[in-house]
Amino acid sequence: MSKFMLIMHTSPGVMEKLSEAELNEIMSGHGAFQEKIKETGEFVSTHALGDPSNSAVVSVSDGTTTVKDGPAVASELGIGGYYIVECESKDRAYEVAALIPDAKIDGLAVEVRPILFSAGASL
């Protein structure tokens, strides 16, 4: 078994064009998705992230800390959240990622990335 991070990339432009019914379908779809992967034993955790406009980038150069408002990389797509799953193979992680409601919305994406190391959390 291997752990994977399923990163949900979101776009404000795409989300703004969705109807209230479509947004509700995505939200309820996440609940159903979580229940499904809990039943299979593949669910580890999930986290939703705040809007990239509320982020900051911290860097240190010659002992001086600089804080810059905004995301590290300006992009139309931002990271909306992620799931940590444990699957028997990368192909199964792809199948699980395809079940995330966001994957079905044109203009959004779910990235599958293997987790090589973790510490401090019960992953």
Side-chain angles (χ1 to χ4, degrees):
M1 296 285 271
S2 299
K3 290 182 178 68
F4 298 88
M5 179 180 272
L6 309 181
I7 306 164
M8 295 170 287
H9 294 276
T10 188
S11 167
V14 171
M15 298 303 284
E16 290 169 0
K17 292 178 183 173
L18 297 177
S19 69
E20 188 173 333
E22 289 170 316
L23 290 171
N24 288 336
E25 185 176 328
I26 290 171
M27 298 314 267
S28 64
H30 276 277
F33 168 74
Q34 290 174 38
E35 288 304 313
K36 185 173 202 158
I37 64 172
K38 284 177 182 177
E39 289 172 8
T40 65
E42 294 167 311
F43 178 84
V44 175
S45 67
T46 187
H47 301 272
L49 301 177
D51 189 271
S53 66
N54 294 319
S55 66
V57 178
V58 177
S59 60
V60 179
S61 179
D62 295 324
T64 301
T65 300
T66 303
V67 179
K68 180 183 165 203
D69 289 339
V73 178
S75 171
E76 182 179 318
L77 288 178
I79 298 173
Y82 61 89
Y83 286 95
I84 303 295
V85 297
E86 187 168 31
C87 299
E88 61 189 36
S89 68
K90 189 184 288 188
D91 287 338
R92 176 59 186 158
Y94 296 155
E95 291 171 1
V96 171
L99 298 173
I100 296 174
D102 305 51
K104 298 169 183 66
I105 305 294
D106 191 32
L108 303 183
V110 178
E111 177 183 351
V112 177
R113 190 176 297 186
I115 295 176
L116 302 178
F117 172 81
S118 62
S122 55
L123 295 177

